[in-house]
Amino acid sequence: MSLTLDAARRILAATRAEGRAQQMKPLSVVVLDAGGHVIAFEREDGASAGRFDIARAKAYGAVMLGMGGRAQMARAEAQGYFMAALNGVFDGKVLPVPGGVLVRDAVGAIIGAVGVTGDTSDNDAAAALAGIAAAGLTGEA
């Protein structure tokens, strides 16, 4: 199974709706496929211009490393040199913090990732998880 544009749009809408329901700051949300390519992106009114790159870096790290942002952050805290080296391998495109969430299909295969930025990293991850669930998929923060 691959992550479709329709599913990506459902994720965007539900992630943003969760942000509004929880009174989060304006969110920016990106959905990547399993190869790290952008399927869809939205930046809410009032979100700063640089949020695309932050959201993409959160999602890119998740899909390229096969681990959500929380696991990446734990790895960075335990082995900063390793994550720094990986970021070099990926041309600085990895941001190892919560808000980068893997997307898994019904059998557990990684089919993409969602990156959310705009509020606290934990809130970003919570909004992403809600969006992924609304699309009938499983998220791994």
Side-chain angles (χ1 to χ4, degrees), residues 19-99:
R20 298 295 54 80
Q22 299 302 321
Q23 299 182 344
M24 293 180 193
K25 294 177 183 173
L27 299 180
S28 295
V29 185
V30 68
V31 180
L32 306 182
D33 67 14
H37 304 100
V38 175
I39 299 172
F41 170 75
E42 288 186 358
R43 180 172 57 93
E44 292 186 317
D45 295 342
S48 62
R51 293 295 176 169
F52 170 76
D53 293 318
I54 296 169
R56 182 181 57 189
K58 287 181 174 187
Y60 191 80
V63 77
M64 289 294 113
L65 301 175
M67 64 176 78
R70 285 192 179 105
Q72 291 176 59
M73 187 170 77
R75 186 77 184 260
E77 289 170 345
Q79 295 179 307
Y81 63 91
F82 179 74
M83 288 304 289
L86 278 178
N87 215 359
V89 168
F90 292 115
D91 298 321
K93 295 178 186 173
V94 174
L95 183 56
V97 296

